[in-house]
Amino acid sequence: MTLLSKSDQEAVTAAINEAERETDAELVTVLTAQSDNYSYIPLLWAGILALLVPGIANYVGNWFSADVLLLVQWGTFILLSLLFRMPNINTRLIPQQVRYWRASNLARRQFLEQRLHHTDGGTGMLIFVSEAERYVEILVDQGIADVLDNKVWEDIVADFTAKVHQGETRQGFLDCIAACGKLLKEHVPATHERNELPNHLVILE
């Protein structure tokens, strides 16, 4: 999984500049490869399986003495802990609800860290993407929420999420920014020239 190239990032910046020319809204885009390292997940699964599998096998077949059973459980735990850290396996072990919860939490932290709640007139908008979780969210401040119901973003988010699934994150950003810009132009039109927040794509390491 690769985050956007420099030319992709420049295209996103250009799209934000274009959208903000016709609205008082302040758009900030944030992209992260993963919202959490989920380091506890491999250990949790390894611990459960290391306790259950050798224990059940020994109960059924009575293969091990107490000392040997303990060694088998330790060995199973170490082996599975290493195996479950492999990215392709790790992501499959994390329940979708947990992945979305972590991504949603990070989106809300970014809304605050990027100072979107301090814009003039409360017109901040965050477009947040977490690639590993295939998660997209749009958060807006009160000045936008007062004139646009949150439901208007649902189709835009669904379209962007589909593009992230397809590995088309760059195009997803461009389409999302254009669609948001169209709505903002109508409901939060530009009344004066300003640029309170940076327009470049924020990439979290």
Side-chain angles (χ1 to χ4, degrees):
M1 176 170 40
T2 17
L3 297 181
L4 299 189
S5 67
K6 186 176 179 180
S7 62
D8 292 336
Q9 295 174 46
E10 289 170 352
V12 172
T13 298
I16 295 172
N17 289 335
E18 179 66 26
E20 287 190 353
R21 271 200 287 268
E22 299 184 289
T23 177
D24 278 345
E26 287 286 334
L27 280 70
V28 171
T29 53
V30 175
L31 173 65
T32 185
Q34 195 168 345
S35 292
D36 195 327
N37 61 17
Y38 305 103
S39 57
Y40 61 95
I41 296 289
L43 297 177
L44 177 62
W45 278 106
I48 292 171
L49 293 175
L51 284 172
L52 288 179
V53 175
I56 292 172
N58 193 52
Y59 178 78
V60 173
N62 196 25
W63 295 337
F64 312 123
S65 65
D67 291 342
V68 173
L69 177 61
L70 184 60
L71 289 173
V72 170
Q73 288 177 322
W74 284 354
T76 303
F77 176 75
I78 292 169
L79 179 63
L80 291 178
S81 295
L82 295 173
L83 182 65
F84 290 166
R85 286 184 182 278
M86 296 175 64
N88 289 341
I89 298 177
N90 192 357
T91 52
R92 296 176 186 276
L93 296 175
I94 306 163
Q96 186 182 73
Q97 195 173 18
V98 172
R99 289 187 282 119
Y100 283 5
W101 176 65
R102 295 301 299 166
S104 180
N105 278 352
L106 182 56
R108 278 151 183 76
R109 290 205 307 273
Q110 284 301 307
F111 191 89
L112 299 177
E113 288 180 18
Q114 302 300 328
R115 301 185 62 78
L116 281 153
H117 58 307
H118 284 312
T119 58
D120 184 21
T123 56
M125 167 184 274
L126 173 69
I127 301 172
F128 174 86
V129 179
S130 186
E131 285 197 331
E133 288 79 7
R134 307 292 191 265
Y135 184 87
V136 177
E137 186 167 7
I138 293 175
L139 297 174
V140 299
D141 205 359
Q142 198 60 46
I144 298 176
D146 286 343
V147 295
L148 280 166
D149 190 280
N150 276 336
K151 289 183 179 179
V152 303
W153 314 118
E154 290 178 359
D155 288 342
I156 298 174
V157 167
D159 180 68
F160 197 167
T161 303
K163 285 186 170 63
V164 173
H165 270 277
Q166 296 159 12
E168 300 175 1
T169 303
R170 174 188 185 274
Q171 192 59 47
F173 268 116
L174 300 182
D175 292 346
C176 178
I177 293 166
C180 291
K182 186 176 179 181
L183 287 168
L184 294 168
K185 175 185 175 181
E186 181 181 351
H187 297 278
V188 192
T191 58
H192 59 284
E193 188 175 341
R194 64 180 176 134
N195 192 26
E196 299 177 62
L197 299 171
N199 293 348
H200 66 267
L201 175 65
V202 178
I203 297 183
L204 305 180
E205 300 296 334

